[in-house]
């Protein structure tokens, strides 16, 4: 299967995560270590989670014994991660004929973030240092030998990785020459030899995305002009000149998914666009004529932006369309995938199932099956015999019959918008008892949304008798351009209104004890936790702020070099701090300036090396509250970044959070 692995995303998603600069690595610990709660304080917090519970935190958050199965391109090997006694997840390769298993990639102090096959005998993996997101690309043979750091530069990060099929090369983008901008390089993954393919000259109006074909040829690029206008250029295949194709506002979408190699027309491509519609749709487009050939797929309610095409064995035909609706939807198109999905549907009914790996000839497919109550099982599907075989159950200890239902919900906001979301209900709520509620605003906030499926957090909370509410408030992605932009400059304001309206809806349904409502979230969700305790202090009993923003001013000041080209976008999404009126609003919705309004218990959690939300954001809120005599338990992990990736740290966090909720919701 073709590798096109995106490490960092371009304009729209970049700003939705809004990363900030990681603190430089020095002998001094980041932030103010004197603020961090003692081990004894956190152990006391953990002790409050008492009860005769069928499942432990480890049952939900210990990593699977094995995971991330992949078939080699020639179908001879099966690779996978396997966890050892020290919670390290090494990559192993199994010879499917002989049964011989080899440890190929060794995970040491830093996590192997992602991995995959480069060819039939070589693997890649990505890794940073302690969560700082300065990501490097490595390659090694399947026996672990000939290990190479393909991007051996300090202080840089990868943008994208694209495999050039049937060659020894990958094309990557990285900010090697100028920390503000990314440029493409062709790298021999056997020798490490590197060639720069194009120069990104203008930091004020930089190229922010490159369009390559399957053979590694640069066919186009997009320029972000003055931070607000996206200009798409396409290469004339006769003259070699890059001509301006489209000039659009940054809030609009016109993006090349990939070229249509099934067509004789080399200028034909699949495009996702909302230039003439509210919802993003997929069209076939002639890039030379600058014209739509035909619509491929659209949906009246949800954005559609993802497709999958076959490789050369089936002449690159369109296989399926995929989008997030109320649930994740896959629409098979090719005869091959229609047959595969008909078989999967007959076996797995209304569960979700995806083909995640195959050999080049598609003799064997790896399929993951999941649902709101099933974490996931890997199956091997033989396309010749049409037979399915269970390969691995990722979480066999979690029984489906014990898991809680994640129920899609829909309600009207106070100003008339239709808001979608999900509520996960424990058994007691289904039996008519009013239960405590944990409100869980998502991160981003722009362009991100919560989805239906197995969520170990909400299942853990349900095991303790808590319902969990997830609201896709205005500014969330997937519901069209108008819905997303309606939340711009409303962060901390109308976006919070939607969350509050969701709580009121849940209370009106009779599911929730209105006097036992907590709020918890990560990143923007952490910010929303702080703002919830400030804006509606009587609504919530307590809150957990996980790597959340507390001060919009210091948040903006911490942007790294490679986010500076997007600063004008950030001003339109959040607030323009150079505008006195908007700066006043930003101060009003910056929690650190509203500390006196926080009256309910708060637990703060932070990764010290966080490159998105600097540890200073959490330090500020803890220091400010403690100066007022308000005690705040504060957990910091010094080998983590924006969210905890290491197993023991995750277990510590969830055990402490459960204790905090038990202390404040079960009085």
């Amino acid at each position: 299967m073709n590798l096109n692995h995106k490490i960092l995303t371009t304009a729209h998603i970049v700003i939705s995560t809004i990363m900030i600069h990681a603190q430089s690595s020095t002998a001094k610990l980041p932030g103010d270590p004197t603020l961090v709660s003692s081990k004894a304080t956190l152990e006391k917090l953990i002790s409050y989670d008492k009860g005769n519970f069928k499942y432990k935190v480890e049952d939900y958050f210990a990593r699977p014994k094995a995971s991330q199965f992949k078939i080699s391109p020639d179908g001879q090997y099966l690779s996978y991660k396997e966890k050892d006694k020290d919670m390290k997840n090494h990559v192993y390769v199994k010879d499917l004929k002989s049964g011989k298993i080899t440890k190929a990639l060794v995970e040491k102090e830093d996590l192997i973030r992602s991995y995959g096959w480069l060819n039939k005998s070589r693997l890649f993996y990505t890794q940073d240092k302690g969560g700082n997101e300065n990501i490097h690309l490595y390659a090694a043979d399947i026996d672990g030998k000939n290990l190479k750091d393909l991007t051996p530069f300090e202080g840089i990060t990868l943008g994208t990785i694209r495999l050039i099929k049937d060659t020894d090369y990958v094309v990557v983008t990285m900010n090697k020459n100028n920390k503000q901008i990314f440029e493409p390089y062709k790298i021999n993954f056997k020798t490490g030899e590197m060639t720069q393919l194009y120069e990104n000259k203008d930091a004020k109006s930089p190229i922010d995305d490159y369009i390559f074909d399957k053979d590694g040829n640069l066919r186009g690029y997009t320029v972000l002009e003055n931070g607000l206008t996206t200009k798409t250029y396409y290469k004339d295949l006769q003259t070699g000149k890059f001509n301006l194709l489209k000039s659009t506002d940054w809030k609009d979408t016109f993006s090349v998914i990939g070229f249509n190699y099934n067509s004789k027309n080399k200028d034909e491509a699949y495009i996702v666009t909302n230039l003439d519609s509210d919802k993003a749709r997929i069209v076939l487009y002639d890039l030379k004529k600058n014209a739509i050939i035909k619509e491929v797929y659209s949906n009246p309610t949800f954005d559609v932006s993802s497709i999958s095409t076959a490789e050369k064995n089936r002449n690159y035909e369109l296989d399926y369309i995929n989008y997030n609706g109320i649930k994740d939807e896959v629409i098979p198109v090719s005869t091959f995938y229609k047959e595969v999905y008909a078989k999967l549907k007959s076996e797995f009914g209304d569960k979700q199932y995806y083909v995640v790996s195959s050999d080049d000839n598609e003799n064997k497919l790896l399929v993951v099956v999941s649902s709101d109550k099933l974490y996931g099982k890997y199956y091997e599907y033989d396309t010749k015999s049409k037979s399915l075989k269970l390969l691995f159950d990722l979480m066999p200890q979690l029984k489906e019959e014990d898991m809680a239902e994640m129920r899609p919900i829909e309600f009207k906001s106070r100003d008339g918008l239709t808001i979608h979301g999900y509520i996960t209900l424990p058994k007691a709520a289904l039996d008519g008892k009013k239960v405590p509620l944990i409100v869980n605003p998502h991160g981003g906030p722009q362009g991100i949304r919560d989805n239906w499926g197995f969520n170990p957090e909400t299942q853990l909370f349900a095991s303790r008798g808590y319902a969990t509410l997830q609201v896709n408030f205005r500014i969330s992605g997937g519901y069209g351009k108008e819905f997303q932009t309606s939340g711009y400059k409303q962060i901390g304001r109308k976006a919070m209104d939607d969350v509050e309206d969701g709580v009121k809806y849940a209370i009106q349904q009779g599911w929730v004890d209105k006097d036992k409502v907590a709020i918890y979230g990560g990143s923007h969700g952490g910010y929303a936790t702080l703002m919830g305790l400030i804006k509606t202090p009587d609504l919530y009993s307590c809150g957990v702020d996980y790597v959340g923003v507390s001060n919009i001013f210091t948040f903006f000041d911490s942007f790294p070099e490679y986010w500076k080209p997007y600063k004008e976008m950030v001003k339109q999404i959040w607030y323009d701090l150079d505008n006195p009126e908007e700066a006043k609003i930003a101060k009003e919705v910056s929690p650190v300036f509203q500390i006196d309004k926080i009256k309910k218990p708060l637990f703060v959690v932070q990764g010290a090396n966080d490159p998105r939300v600097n540890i200073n954001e959490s330090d500020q809120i803890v220091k400010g509250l403690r100066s007022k005599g308000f005690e705040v338990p504060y957990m910091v992990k010094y080998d983590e970044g924006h969210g905890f990736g290491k197993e023991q740290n995750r277990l510590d966090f969830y055990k402490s959070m459960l204790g905090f909720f038990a202390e404040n919701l079960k009085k």
Side-chain angles (χ1 to χ4, degrees):
M1 300 181 76
N2 197 14
L3 167 73
N4 181 14
H5 186 69
K6 210 154 206 181
I7 302 294
L8 296 176
T9 49
T10 50
H12 291 258
I13 303 301
V14 162
I15 300 304
S16 74
T17 53
I18 311 205
M19 299 183 180
I20 320 182
H21 188 40
Q23 290 184 272
S24 59
S25 177
T26 66
K28 181 179 178 295
L29 289 174
D32 184 351
T34 66
L35 297 173
V36 181
S37 295
S38 67
K39 183 179 180 181
T41 298
L42 295 175
E43 285 179 346
K44 183 178 180 181
L45 202 58
I46 291 171
S47 71
Y48 291 119
D49 182 40
K50 298 175 181 176
N52 185 25
F53 305 120
K54 185 170 183 177
Y55 294 104
K56 302 178 295 184
V57 172
E58 286 85 352
D59 291 322
Y60 298 95
F61 284 98
R63 295 199 182 280
K65 177 63 177 172
S67 62
Q68 296 186 37
F69 292 83
K70 303 176 191 289
I71 299 176
S72 64
D74 61 0
Q76 185 176 340
Y77 300 101
L78 179 70
S79 63
Y80 55 93
K81 281 187 174 182
E82 185 172 299
K83 185 172 67 175
D84 68 13
K85 59 181 178 59
D86 298 317
M87 300 184 183
K88 302 296 183 184
N89 288 268
H90 313 298
V91 176
Y92 291 82
V93 173
K94 180 179 181 179
D95 188 316
L96 293 175
K97 288 184 179 179
S98 69
K100 180 183 177 183
I101 297 173
T102 304
K103 184 188 288 187
L105 306 176
V106 178
E107 185 174 85
K108 298 178 182 177
E109 288 306 307
D110 293 302
L111 298 172
I112 293 175
R113 297 287 177 178
S114 62
Y115 91 94
W117 288 90
L118 292 166
N119 61 19
K120 64 182 181 180
S121 61
R122 200 152 169 81
L123 298 162
F124 80 89
Y125 69 97
T126 61
Q127 195 170 58
D128 66 0
K129 297 291 184 185
N132 68 4
E133 296 186 19
N134 288 332
I135 300 165
H136 285 230
L137 174 66
Y138 298 85
D141 293 342
I142 57 175
D143 59 3
K145 296 178 180 178
N146 298 319
L147 174 65
K148 287 187 181 298
D149 182 350
L150 299 179
T151 56
F153 311 106
E154 290 301 315
I156 67 96
T157 192
L158 290 179
T160 59
I161 308 169
R162 178 182 288 272
L163 174 66
I164 307 174
K165 194 75 173 177
D166 300 323
T167 74
D168 295 337
Y169 293 93
V170 291
V171 172
V172 307
T173 59
M174 57 182 166
N175 58 344
K176 175 178 175 288
N177 295 324
N178 183 329
K179 296 300 183 289
Q180 288 193 16
I181 54 181
F182 290 78
E183 295 173 306
Y185 296 82
K186 186 177 181 180
I187 303 175
N188 185 307
F189 56 71
K190 289 184 176 178
T191 67
E193 180 185 359
M194 178 184 300
T195 304
Q196 185 170 339
L197 296 177
Y198 204 77
E199 191 176 356
N200 199 352
K201 297 178 181 179
D202 188 355
K204 291 184 178 178
S205 294
I207 297 172
D208 72 334
D209 196 17
Y210 298 88
I211 303 165
F212 286 92
D213 64 20
K214 64 181 176 60
D215 299 316
N217 302 308
L218 182 64
R219 298 282 299 278
Y221 53 80
T222 60
V223 169
L224 182 61
E225 188 173 81
N226 301 317
L228 294 175
T229 301
T230 299
K231 291 192 169 182
T232 302
Y233 290 82
Y234 179 64
K235 184 179 182 179
D236 186 301
L237 295 177
Q238 277 68 49
T239 67
K241 182 183 177 183
F242 288 93
N243 299 313
L244 179 63
L245 186 72
K246 292 285 183 187
S247 182
T248 62
D249 185 88
W250 73 271
K251 292 188 286 292
D252 295 327
T253 298
F254 180 86
S255 179
V256 176
I257 303 174
F259 291 94
N260 182 17
Y261 305 113
N262 187 248
S263 171
K264 293 180 180 179
N265 180 1
K266 293 184 178 181
D267 297 304
E268 193 171 307
Y270 294 102
I271 301 286
V272 56
T273 180
N274 63 6
L275 295 185
D276 54 358
S277 58
D278 177 56
K279 307 298 187 293
R281 62 195 184 113
I282 295 170
V283 298
L284 263 180
Y285 204 87
D286 189 309
L287 294 168
K288 185 175 183 178
K289 294 179 180 178
N290 195 10
I292 293 174
I293 298 170
K294 67 175 182 178
E295 180 176 279
V296 176
Y297 194 82
S298 64
N299 185 281
T301 307
F302 304 103
D303 291 326
V304 182
S305 60
S306 179
I307 63 170
S308 180
T309 56
E311 293 293 331
K312 65 181 178 182
N313 64 308
R314 286 190 285 110
N315 196 30
Y316 308 101
E317 65 178 334
L318 178 61
D319 273 333
Y320 59 82
I321 296 145
N322 177 225
Y323 70 94
N324 265 322
I326 293 173
K327 298 182 179 180
D328 197 59
E329 301 288 347
V330 175
I331 297 107
V333 176
S334 67
T335 299
F336 179 85
Y337 261 81
K338 284 180 178 178
E339 290 178 356
V340 169
Y341 269 75
K343 172 67 174 179
L344 297 177
K345 185 171 182 61
S346 70
E347 291 284 339
F348 304 118
D350 59 359
K351 288 184 168 61
Q352 296 188 145
Y353 29 84
Y354 309 93
V355 176
V356 295
S357 180
S358 75
D359 61 279
D360 284 347
N361 292 324
E362 297 179 307
N363 292 323
K364 292 191 186 306
L365 311 179
L366 293 188
V367 178
V368 170
V369 180
S370 65
S371 73
D372 59 338
K373 297 183 178 183
L374 174 64
Y375 184 91
K377 293 180 180 180
Y378 276 88
Y379 287 83
E380 180 187 285
Y381 179 57
D382 188 307
T383 58
K384 292 182 177 179
S385 66
K386 315 294 184 188
S387 60
L388 276 162
K389 179 176 70 175
L390 178 64
L391 184 66
F392 197 81
D393 185 346
L394 293 168
M395 291 283 192
Q397 71 276 19
L398 298 177
K399 305 304 179 187
E400 287 185 64
E401 59 268 22
D402 295 331
M403 298 299 106
E405 173 193 2
M406 177 184 264
R407 181 176 297 181
I409 59 171
E410 181 182 306
F411 59 91
K412 290 288 185 181
S413 69
R414 64 192 67 179
D415 58 352
L417 287 182
T418 299
I419 307 294
H420 296 269
Y422 303 91
I423 190 160
T424 302
L425 297 168
K427 186 176 184 299
L430 298 178
D431 292 340
K433 183 180 178 182
K434 293 182 179 181
V435 300
L437 176 69
I438 297 171
V439 183
N440 182 213
H442 64 67
Q446 174 257 356
I448 308 298
R449 57 160 285 184
D450 283 313
N451 303 305
W452 185 88
F454 191 93
N455 186 320
E457 281 189 343
T458 65
Q459 292 295 342
L460 174 64
F461 297 154
S463 75
R464 299 313 193 255
Y466 308 133
T468 304
L469 175 68
Q470 297 167 288
V471 176
N472 285 327
F473 42 85
R474 71 191 72 198
I475 209 174
S476 299
Y479 299 96
K481 181 167 45 178
E482 184 178 343
F483 184 82
Q484 182 168 312
T485 57
S486 71
Y488 290 175
K489 297 189 187 296
Q490 293 298 330
I491 296 169
R493 300 196 291 165
K494 287 186 178 180
M496 291 301 302
D497 290 348
D498 295 343
V499 175
E500 294 155 19
D501 291 346
V503 176
K504 292 174 183 176
Y505 170 82
I507 292 170
Q508 289 168 357
Q509 304 311 303
W511 297 320
V512 173
D513 182 340
K514 65 180 179 60
D515 297 319
K516 293 183 178 181
V517 180
I519 183 168
Y520 149 65
S523 195
H524 164 266
Y527 164 83
T529 292
L530 298 174
M531 279 308 301
L533 296 178
I534 290 164
K535 188 172 179 290
T536 48
D538 295 331
L539 188 61
Y540 301 111
S541 302
C542 61
V544 178
D545 163 21
Y546 184 32
V547 297
V549 175
S550 69
N551 182 337
I552 294 173
F553 295 83
T554 55
F555 180 48
F556 282 21
D557 286 343
S558 299
F559 284 171
E561 291 299 308
Y562 54 90
W563 297 133
K564 287 182 179 177
Y566 305 103
K567 197 162 189 176
E568 293 304 313
M569 288 187 195
V570 179
K571 289 179 180 180
Q572 291 199 8
I573 295 168
W574 288 68
Y575 301 99
D576 183 353
L577 303 184
D578 297 324
N579 178 320
E581 290 184 9
E582 290 194 25
K584 181 182 177 183
I585 295 170
K587 188 170 184 179
E588 291 171 353
V589 296
S590 286
V592 75
F593 301 115
Q594 315 293 328
I595 281 174
D596 289 343
K597 297 178 182 176
I598 295 180
K599 306 296 183 184
K600 300 295 176 62
L602 174 67
F603 178 30
V604 178
V605 183
Q606 181 69 40
N609 305 315
D610 192 340
R612 307 189 190 192
V613 177
N614 191 284
I615 191 173
N616 183 44
E617 295 299 309
S618 290
D619 279 3
Q620 285 182 75
I621 202 74
V622 171
K623 189 178 293 184
L625 284 167
R626 287 181 181 171
S627 71
K628 303 288 185 181
F630 195 97
E631 185 50 43
V632 183
Y634 185 27
M635 172 185 284
V636 175
K637 295 295 184 181
Y638 288 94
D639 55 350
E640 295 284 9
H642 196 61
F644 296 172
K646 295 184 177 178
E647 184 171 317
Q648 189 56 56
N649 293 338
R650 288 156 62 90
L651 297 178
D652 291 347
F653 167 48
Y654 284 105
K655 288 178 180 180
S656 299
M657 180 161 55
L658 281 185
F660 179 79
F661 286 144
E663 181 186 16
N664 293 288
L665 294 177
K666 293 186 175 180
K667 290 179 181 178

